Amino acid sequence: MHTFPRLLLAALLAFGAVGVFAQQDAPSGEPDVTIREEDDKTIEEYRVNGFLYAIKVTPKFGKPYFLVRADGNDANFVRSDEPTMRIPAWKIFEW
């Protein structure tokens, strides 16, 4: 007879913990786009969970182009339409 109340209490605690984890913000698949105007161009920054991964630059005169990450550095972006080869460089270990 004493096992039923213990099982009931364990089940309530387990479902309560699941409810707390379900309320946390889940990562979204949709990018956050920040648009800003500069002198002669429009800049759109694409972010997922705060991570800046691409920039679209639309000049007033000329074709728009994208800047994408060349490696893991924040300031190292290259044009996506240039014929240079981008080699994937993932950080596996760090000391």
Side-chain angles (χ1 to χ4, degrees), residues 2-55:
H2 294 288
T3 57
F4 181 70
R6 289 180 184 168
L7 287 175
L8 183 62
L9 179 62
L12 288 175
L13 289 175
F15 286 121
V18 169
V20 169
F21 288 121
Q23 290 176 358
Q24 294 178 352
D25 291 336
S28 64
E30 294 294 318
D32 296 325
V33 180
T34 304
I35 301 172
R36 58 189 164 99
E37 297 282 332
E38 287 195 2
D39 297 330
D40 58 346
K41 59 189 163 215
T42 302
I43 299 175
E44 300 175 32
E45 296 177 345
Y46 293 86
R47 299 177 191 271
V48 171
N49 297 327
F51 178 75
L52 178 65
Y53 68 91
I55 300 171

Side-chain angles (χ1 to χ4, degrees), residues 55-76:
I55 300 171
K56 180 180 179 183
V57 179
T58 307
K60 287 188 179 180
F61 305 104
K63 293 181 3 180
Y65 58 92
F66 278 91
L67 299 173
V68 295
R69 284 184 174 267
D71 56 13
N73 295 337
D74 287 335
N76 196 5

